[in-house]
Amino acid sequence: MPWYDIVWTDEIEEYIGQHGLELDDVRHVLENFDREDVSRSSGRPIRFGDIPDGREIAVVFEWIDDVTLCPITAYEV
């Protein structure tokens, strides 16, 4: 499992909560994703994976540097 430094903003924390997700859910998928693609709407990287409760979520993010990610949005798929 890779390790990443994740930059959390107040906006993303609030947005993730509005989608019924926790920060740990987003971190889990960023570090344990099933597949990675490019978001059709934003062109940013997107990772898909299952969270511990069995739901599949998508996490759109930006690379800050080689080990630092900044989530943009996350939602159930």
Side-chain angles (χ1 to χ4, degrees):
M1 169 176 79
W3 176 89
Y4 299 106
D5 186 20
I6 300 175
V7 176
W8 300 107
T9 65
D10 292 339
E11 294 161 338
I12 191 63
E13 288 183 49
E14 181 179 332
Y15 192 73
I16 289 168
Q18 290 174 357
H19 284 92
L21 299 170
E22 310 252 343
L23 298 183
D24 285 343
D25 297 329
V26 172
R27 177 181 294 279
H28 180 80
V29 168
L30 286 172
E31 294 177 347
N32 303 284
F33 58 98
D34 295 327
R35 73 188 204 298
E36 183 174 276
D37 207 337
V38 175
S39 169
R40 290 180 297 215
S41 61
S42 70
R44 293 181 173 114
I46 185 171
R47 290 182 176 174
F48 298 87
D50 295 328
I51 57 177
D53 70 6
R55 293 180 289 165
E56 182 182 14
I57 68 169
V59 181
V60 178
F61 64 96
E62 291 182 337
W63 285 104
I64 304 300
D65 60 32
D66 290 344
V67 296
T68 308
L69 308 172
C70 182
I72 303 301
T73 189
Y75 52 89
E76 192 171 347
V77 292

